[in-house]
């Protein structure tokens, strides 16, 4: 039986470290300054906010239902559409493709999802810089993962996970030949990041700049 978790396994260590730091800081503060003043309560409030943000960041949206629509490419991430343009994709396709970029803030769910059914035909990790995710060069210069998915009709799309200024770890355990099931977890990026989707030029895009996407629910585009 599959167990549905509300907190991603990647968050266990981060949450435990946060709790340990909060405990140490609170103990030291009360050891040296035992009298409870206003600044004590401000500190406790700040610690609670930090812990809440860490827990929220690693939340798993188990309540969501995957949008099942034929020929649809779903949003692989929560966030805001930051780019929708024709670019030269020179790693895999070596041709022009429609690029849709989704920027994820630290408040968004940071799990990434497969945008459609198919097979992982290409996967490569690239070490790199940590420019802010809105920087146009972040797509190629930052640490990133490139994943190409191919469906049964032979149509291919490319998904690129990009680490941002705050995000310093991309989590993805895929291998070439793995099955891609729409709505299932593709991976995640810690603490603010960006996901690019490269589509065929004739894809019918259904989102615009500043459109807020919901991972595995929002339809980004429809393939011919």
């Amino acid at each position: 039986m599959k167990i549905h978790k509300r907190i991603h396994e990647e968050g266990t260590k981060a949450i435990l470290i946060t709790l340990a730091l909060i405990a140490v800081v609170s103990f030291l503060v009360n050891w040296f300054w035992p009298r409870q003043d206003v600044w004590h309560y401000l500190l406790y409030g700040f610690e609670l906010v930090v812990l809440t943000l860490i827990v929220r960041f690693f939340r798993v949206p188990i309540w969501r239902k995957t949008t099942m629509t034929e020929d649809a490419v779903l949003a692989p991430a929560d966030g805001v559409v930051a780019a929708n343009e024709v670019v030269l994709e020179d790693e895999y396709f070596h041709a022009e493709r429609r690029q849709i970029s989704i920027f994820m803030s630290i408040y968004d769910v940071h799990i990434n999802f497969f945008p459609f059914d198919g097979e992982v035909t290409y996967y490569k990790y690239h070490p790199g810089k940590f420019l802010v995710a809105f920087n146009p060069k972040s797509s190629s210069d930052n640490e990133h993962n490139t994943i190409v998915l191919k469906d049964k009709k032979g149509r291919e799309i490319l998904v690129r996970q990009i680490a941002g200024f705050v995000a310093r770890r991309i989590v993805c355990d895929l291998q070439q030949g793995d099955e891609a099931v729409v709505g299932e977890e593709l991976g995640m990026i810690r603490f603010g990041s960006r996901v690019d989707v490269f589509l065929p030029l004739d894809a019918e895009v259904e989102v615009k700049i500043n459109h807020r996407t919901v991972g595995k629910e929002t339809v980004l585009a429809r393939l011919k």
Side-chain angles (χ1 to χ4, degrees):
M1 180 178 66
K2 185 176 181 179
I3 299 176
H4 295 281
K5 298 180 179 180
R6 293 183 179 273
I7 301 297
H8 196 278
E9 59 186 10
E10 285 290 326
T12 302
K13 183 178 179 180
I15 292 171
L16 290 177
I17 290 175
T18 303
L19 285 171
L21 289 174
I22 288 175
V24 170
V25 170
S26 298
F27 173 79
L28 292 176
V29 166
N30 283 280
W31 177 269
F32 290 105
W33 298 279
R35 181 180 175 179
Q36 299 297 297
D37 292 319
V38 173
W39 70 271
H40 282 79
Y41 298 111
L42 291 176
L43 173 64
Y44 302 149
F46 175 75
E47 291 173 336
L48 180 60
V49 169
V50 171
L51 179 60
T52 300
L53 286 175
I54 295 295
V55 172
R56 285 189 75 252
F57 175 82
F58 289 103
R59 67 193 184 277
V60 178
I62 61 175
W63 60 89
R64 290 186 190 171
K65 300 295 183 182
T66 302
T67 301
M68 304 300 290
T69 305
E70 187 177 3
D71 298 325
V73 176
L74 304 185
D78 289 18
V80 175
V81 177
N84 177 6
E85 58 188 345
V86 174
V87 300
L88 175 64
E89 198 296 302
D90 58 3
E91 178 182 350
Y92 179 81
F93 293 115
H94 303 288
E96 288 189 336
R97 287 293 186 272
R98 169 69 62 177
Q99 175 185 328
I100 299 178
S101 300
I102 300 173
F103 173 76
M104 297 182 286
S105 75
I106 61 173
Y107 306 108
D108 290 314
V109 170
H110 271 60
I111 297 172
N112 302 146
F113 307 94
F114 285 114
F116 76 165
D117 290 328
E119 179 186 349
V120 177
T121 57
Y122 177 86
Y123 174 82
K124 188 172 183 179
Y125 166 76
H126 302 266
K129 301 177 182 179
F130 296 97
L131 303 173
V132 292
F134 273 113
N135 190 318
K137 291 186 177 181
S138 65
S139 181
S140 58
D141 293 355
N142 279 20
E143 174 189 0
H144 61 275
N145 267 346
T146 300
I147 303 136
V148 176
L149 307 175
K150 184 176 183 179
D151 72 0
K152 293 181 178 179
K153 297 181 180 180
R155 300 172 298 188
E156 290 183 310
I157 65 170
L158 185 152
V159 179
R160 183 168 289 150
Q161 297 175 291
I162 304 169
F165 179 73
V166 179
R168 296 293 172 129
R169 185 184 178 192
I170 296 176
V171 179
C172 186
D173 297 324
L174 295 178
Q175 295 181 356
Q176 187 171 327
D178 285 349
E179 180 184 12
V181 178
V182 61
E184 293 295 317
E185 182 181 332
L186 178 152
M188 74 178 301
I189 318 173
R190 290 186 173 185
F191 304 116
S193 43
R194 171 177 152 186
V195 177
D196 290 347
V197 180
F198 294 83
L199 303 166
L201 294 179
D202 61 356
E204 297 179 358
V205 179
E206 298 200 0
V207 294
K208 297 180 180 180
I209 299 295
N210 294 324
H211 187 121
R212 173 157 286 278
T213 62
V214 178
K216 76 177 186 178
E217 289 188 356
T218 302
V219 176
L220 286 187
R222 298 184 187 278
L223 302 181
K224 296 292 186 179

